[in-house]
Amino acid sequence: MDLLPAKTPAALAETAASRIADLIAARPDAAVVVATGNTPLATYRVLGERVGRGDLDASRLRVFQLDEYLGLGHGDDRSLYGWMARAFLHPLGIPERNAVRLPSGAVDPDAACRAYDAAVRDAGGFDLAILGLGPNGHLGFNEPPSDRAAPTRVVTLSPESVASNAAYWGGDPARVPRQALTAGMDLLLAARHTLLLVSGAPKRAILRRALDGPPTADVPASWLHLAPKVTVVADRAALTDGAP
Ligand code: PGA
């Protein structure tokens, strides 16, 4: 894993956006799996500004949802697809028909997971995974323990994830669904390039465990040591050594 230290969250966003923009320039129809959460939002804003200035054309990207709460009704404001659409698809000028969803309202969630896997396979796998790091080391909703081969599946959220996700929806844990769908570790670890974005002191200890290894199901992000090409972009607050 390569570590790219950034001084501030704003510098993190510029660095990550430049990496993503380079990849889009090299492969305009790249298959990209996209995290929601707070950390990548500034990066997506920078990318949206570049698109707005005409410096970047992201309109051909094929976008895959990373994770989704299970059982939300149509139009529910907690939909992670809706968040991804507002934060990534729309500002980057990507038509929603280019997006592959993990459907919250799936009648048969297992079948929905297999359909997602098939869509990723048809796309030739992920060219890029844009990921955040959960406070418990999760990637997407691959909660600890998650094996490196864990497939796309229905998961029960850990108490830590319920607590951290509550912050997105006004702080009330009761607003966080207990079950979710997540892209599998198997698909994420096969991505040809992974950007792991990590910001803030509360992530220091778990980032250190992910970086130092050894790879373990108890820290799903530590499996990234086995992925082909991983770039961790972390701000100073998230780094124990205070670099740069
Ligand atoms: P955050 O979430 O970016 O809001 O910290 C990361 C995650 O839980 O995966």
Side-chain angles (χ1 to χ4, degrees), residues 20 42 44 66 84 164 167 170 182 194 206 208 217:
I20 296 166
Y44 300 160
L66 175 64
M84 182 182 83
S164 65
T182 187
T194 300
I206 195 68
R208 191 35 62 199

Side-chain angles (χ1 to χ4, degrees), residues 35-41 66-67 83 131-136 138-141 161 164-165 168 197 199 203:
T36 52
N38 285 328
T39 311
L41 296 182
L66 175 64
D67 49 16
W83 193 354
L131 303 177
L133 176 65
N136 60 356
H138 74 201
L139 296 178
F141 280 134
S161 290
S164 65
N165 280 232
Y168 305 146
L197 310 183
S199 177
K203 299 285 176 70

